Amino acid sequence: MISASLIRAPELSLRWIPVWRRNLLVWRKLAIAAVLGNIADPLLYMLALGYGIGSFVPEVGGMKYIAFIGTGMVCQSAMFTSSFEAMYSAFSRMHVQRTWEAIINAPLSLDDVMLAEWIWAATKSVISVMAILAVVLLLGFGHSWLAIWVLPLGFIVGLTFGAFGLVMNSLAPGYDFFTYFFTLVLTPMLLLSGVFFPVEQMPAALRGVAQVLPLSHAIDIARPLLSGRVPDGIPLHIAVLLGYAFAAYYVALVLTRRRLLK
Amino acid sequence: MQGQGGDDVVLAVAGLRKSYGDNEVLRGLDFAIRRGECFGLLGPNGAGKTTTLRCCLGLTDPNAGTITLVGEPVPKAAREARVRVGVVPQMDNLDPDFTVVENLRIYGRYFSIPAAILSERIPRLLDFAGLANKGNASIRTLSGGMKRRLTLGRALINDPELLILDEPTTGLDPQARHLIWDGLRQLLSQGKTILLTTHFMDEAERLCSRLAVIDHGRMIASDAPRALIAAHVEPEVVEVYGDEARQWADARGRTLADRMELAGETAFCYAKDAAPLLNDLSRQNGVRYLHRSANLEDLFIKLTGRELRD
């Protein structure tokens, strides 16, 4: 049963800021461990695959393989960071610690909390992209001012996958539920979007699938930026990412209202 | 009871109805809380207490009825109303990632209270909660009683006109409960208004100036505790138990008491004058008994029955 109050338009106000600040404060307490965690995984992939496979395939799409995979890692890290934040961490705050319940007893609404969580997930993506970008620069790639633009891109990717994560969160009976999202969405996304090898290598059918995957649109922007070129078709790529983001956010909001405001 | 919207009415609820599917949880509830009083909502589990509070705070839309909270219509202006209301939830939801002081400060920010005012209020709230030397302690190191006191302190961060408490002492040991009660009495003496739900009759009797018993989503009685007892229950009670209690109850108790109820091995005899009962019991072997005056628990059991709820 879906009532009018569940499907009403999202409330937009600046009341999300204190909730976002709360999350930032918690993050700051464990910032070093968090940033190391952000870097470790992608860094290992980058070094192992970059130098390992890179020794067989010196160049991919006109880039050194390690640089190729470095740009993939920037995008995958934005994807994983926001997904994790909007699923595991948001679920802890919503269900386990009942932090959201405390907040909506104050003069904030559930819409304010959701907006804060969404923007926070995207903020975490930016933080992780910043960390990986530093590594990529230290390894001697992406030396161009254009590279800075992957930070706002990270924010947009964070909005997309943060919204997906919030949809999962609104339906989750427990933490185990999130495994479905990893197996059915994130892993295929990672393998089919051109993180490890160019999409052009794949059969036509899979190339078609890649066209509709948000991560491949992020990679189409990030890869030229990190090799010092202005990407083609920016408006389309951004429109796809934001289209997914806003649609998923609205679904997440309706489902979360149904879950908590009954 | 006073009409809606009067100056001294802090919360007015009229004709409140709420259903989940076929399950009618609230079936037309009316009550009003006046400034400065402590109003208790009593009822067995599942009676609709928590749903009533959720509706009053605008967290659940009722199917019918009107709610006016600190002068604001709810749910329409629920957020505006919550600026001037404090809430102690049934289950602790303090922020485990923060210290005691951080919990208060961050909660204050949700009300947009300026930092300077928070810095001035927080030490007073710590004193009130008996946590003055625990300001930098992590929430995880606090006992259950300390957490409850901090939750109560947190609910006062906005200096609310109405304090709403959902079963404030459930799960606490007697020492911790008494501390919470002392705190609440202190607030009442400062003129605060309190709405609390409970299923502890001693809690209601100690704190509430007026209370409502609700069951199956309806109010079945509402008045001052003593007046309710006087109106619904015989003033004296003799509880009879022991090996021969049932036999005695069937043979003698039923005729000597104005009203008698059997619960397990105990006979509850209610009477205007307990002298004949006591006289008879003093000559019996194999029974023990306790003579006392009627209390809220007797009223509650009479109104809501003895069968178990969950």
Side-chain angles (χ1 to χ4, degrees), chain B residues 71-139:
Chain B
E72 306 282 353
V74 172
K76 194 164 171 285
R79 237 182 28 76
E80 289 77 0
R82 290 201 301 270
V83 171
R84 291 179 284 136
V85 173
V87 180
V88 176
Q90 202 175 102
M91 274 184 258
D92 279 318
N93 54 21
L94 294 163
D95 223 318
D97 296 304
F98 293 129
T99 65
V100 168
V101 165
E102 285 170 333
N103 259 280
L104 296 173
R105 175 162 296 124
I106 283 149
Y107 206 69
R109 285 184 192 154
Y110 301 146
F111 291 81
S112 309
I113 301 171
I117 296 184
L118 284 177
S119 300
E120 174 225 329
R121 265 182 206 171
I122 286 171
R124 279 191 284 131
L125 291 175
L126 289 178
D127 274 340
F128 172 80
L131 295 169
N133 56 352
K134 290 271 180 190
N136 294 317
S138 150
I139 296 305

Side-chain angles (χ1 to χ4, degrees), chain A residues 22 29 102 108 260 262, chain B residues 54 60 82 93 95 102 107:
Chain A
R22 178 232 164 253
K29 293 197 170 203
L108 297 175
L260 296 181
K262 57 180 194 289
Chain B
R54 287 183 60 86
T60 294
R82 290 201 301 270
N93 54 21
D95 223 318
E102 285 170 333
Y107 206 69

Side-chain angles (χ1 to χ4, degrees), chain A residues 105-122:
Chain A
N105 279 334
L108 297 175
S109 64
L110 184 60
D111 286 32
D112 301 328
V113 176
M114 285 288 285
L115 190 57
E117 292 286 356
W118 191 32
I119 295 175
W120 171 245

Side-chain angles (χ1 to χ4, degrees), chain B residues 41-64:
Chain B
L41 271 184
L42 266 63
N45 288 335
K49 302 186 296 287
T50 299
T51 305
T52 304
L53 295 190
R54 287 183 60 86
C55 288
C56 290
L57 288 167
L59 301 176
T60 294
D61 288 347
N63 298 110

Side-chain angles (χ1 to χ4, degrees), chain B residues 17-31:
Chain B
R17 290 179 171 275
K18 177 71 186 175
S19 313
Y20 296 106
D22 291 337
N23 183 17
E24 236 186 326
V25 180
L26 301 177
R27 310 173 188 215
L29 204 58
D30 305 85
F31 62 91

